[in-house]
């Protein structure tokens, strides 16, 4: 993995979250960058696209009140109106 060389390489994390979308990868990246709206949003979008709405809601509950970002909140509101389990 590219990240074994430099775990703070954001470009490598971006590539990894696109190439290997998994709970393990997303948990690792949000654990390393807990205030990054970009990674939380990607994580929630992946859960929604996979049809795991209950897990998407859990992702939102973990981040939406701690990560103040307009795009993340827009996705959260859309989720609550459209897909809420």
């Amino acid at each position: 993995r590219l990240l074994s060389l430099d775990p703070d390489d954001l470009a490598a994390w971006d590539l990894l979250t696109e190439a290997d979308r998994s709970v393990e990868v997303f948990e690792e990246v949000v654990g390393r960058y807990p205030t990054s709206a970009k990674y939380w949003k990607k994580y929630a979008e992946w859960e929604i696209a996979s049809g795991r709405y209950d897990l998407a809601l859990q992702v939102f509950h973990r981040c939406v009140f701690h990560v103040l970002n307009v795009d993340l909140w827009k996705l959260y509101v859309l989720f609550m109106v459209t897909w809420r389990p």
Side-chain angles (χ1 to χ4, degrees):
R1 267 189 185 173
L2 295 171
L3 296 170
S4 63
L5 299 175
D6 182 5
D8 293 322
D9 183 352
L10 292 177
W13 280 111
D14 289 342
L15 289 172
L16 187 59
T17 57
E18 289 300 320
D20 181 15
R21 290 180 171 218
S22 67
V23 171
E24 293 80 14
V25 168
F26 281 114
E27 285 297 323
E28 193 172 341
V29 74
V30 299
R32 182 168 286 280
Y33 302 103
T35 59
S36 174
K38 174 174 69 172
Y39 295 125
W40 282 110
K41 186 173 179 278
K42 279 185 172 187
Y43 193 177
E45 288 171 332
W46 174 68
E47 293 290 13
I48 293 166
S50 300
R52 294 186 294 264
Y53 306 120
D54 56 332
L55 296 177
L57 185 60
Q58 289 176 20
V59 169
F60 282 123
H61 284 170
R62 290 173 56 200
C63 70
V64 78
F65 295 108
H66 305 287
V67 180
L68 303 179
N69 176 274
V70 172
D71 291 329
L72 181 61
W73 268 88
K74 283 169 47 177
L75 181 63
Y76 175 64
V77 169
L78 178 64
F79 173 80
M80 293 304 283
V81 169
T82 309
W83 294 292
R84 185 168 183 205

